[in-house]
Amino acid sequence: MSTWLVKEMRELLAPFITLLFNRSLVTGCFQSEFKQAIVRPLLKKIGLDASDLKNYRPVSNLSFLSKLMERVAKRRLQAFLDSNELMSSQQSAYRQHHSTEMAVLKVYNDLLMAADSGLVSALCLLDLTAAFDDSTPSIMIYFFSDLSGSSVYGVSHCSGSGLT
């Protein structure tokens, strides 16, 4: 469904989209149509050799409704984590009013406080920008599923739409 059509008909479509999203969240099934994406190659960094396929990463463009569903799920999950105090106060990623700059300032402040107290500190930094470049997705899915004991997607693989 095209974005302009959903926006144009939002008042008419809103109850149906709400029902679809709520049913999806309750049943744990995600419409197979929402999983389809247009995948395009994107150069990892400006200046890399454009003729070398290793310098590209796949970028998936999902449908408008899929992105909307993702936003709804994120907000619900974030509200649950916040209301049950399940997320560390030090967690910066994926949180409003938190940033990597805040995380760096926290580390910097901790190092200064330790130095002021006469303590010796060591900081180990890892560059993970290319960590998963050569990873096979199926191996990563198996690895993370094995670690958590459940589906890596958090959504069951439903036969059919699962939302009838």
Side-chain angles (χ1 to χ4, degrees):
M1 187 174 291
S2 63
T3 305
W4 69 268
L5 181 60
V6 173
K7 287 182 177 180
E8 186 71 28
M9 305 299 291
R10 65 183 169 267
E11 290 179 19
L12 178 67
L13 294 174
F16 300 104
I17 293 172
T18 302
L19 178 64
L20 177 69
F21 287 1
N22 285 336
R23 178 100 29 106
S24 180
L25 291 169
V26 167
T27 62
C29 293
F30 196 61
Q31 287 276 42
S32 61
E33 293 82 6
F34 289 170
K35 297 176 189 178
Q36 296 175 0
I38 296 171
V39 181
R40 294 190 172 113
L42 181 69
L43 199 58
K44 291 178 184 176
K45 291 181 183 176
I46 296 173
L48 292 177
D49 181 9
S51 65
D52 189 354
L53 294 179
K54 291 188 302 184
N55 292 330
Y56 287 89
R57 63 182 176 91
V59 174
S60 300
N61 293 325
L62 296 169
S63 71
F64 174 74
L65 287 177
S66 182
K67 291 178 193 177
L68 191 58
M69 175 64 184
E70 180 181 342
R71 187 176 298 167
V72 168
K74 183 221 178 266
R75 284 186 181 164
R76 287 190 183 184
L77 177 60
Q78 191 67 55
F80 174 80
L81 294 173
D82 290 344
S83 66
N84 291 289
E85 298 179 5
L86 295 173
M87 191 172 286
S88 167
S89 62
Q90 305 302 316
Q91 173 72 35
S92 291
Y94 313 111
R95 295 183 77 185
Q96 279 189 329
H97 312 298
H98 291 75
S99 64
T100 53
E101 289 86 1
M102 288 179 63
V104 169
L105 287 173
K106 167 78 170 107
V107 170
Y108 182 69
N109 184 60
D110 289 350
L111 290 170
L112 288 177
M113 297 291 281
D116 287 347
S117 299
L119 299 172
V120 175
S121 299
L123 179 63
C124 178
L125 302 172
L126 300 173
D127 179 5
L128 299 175
T129 54
F132 299 107
D133 281 358
D134 293 328
S135 298
T136 305
S138 60
I139 293 172
M140 297 303 294
I141 289 170
Y142 174 78
F143 174 74
F144 286 119
S145 295
D146 191 47
L147 281 179
S148 67
S150 62
S151 171
V152 85
Y153 298 110
V155 176
S156 62
H157 300 279
C158 306
S159 60
S161 71
L163 300 173
T164 55

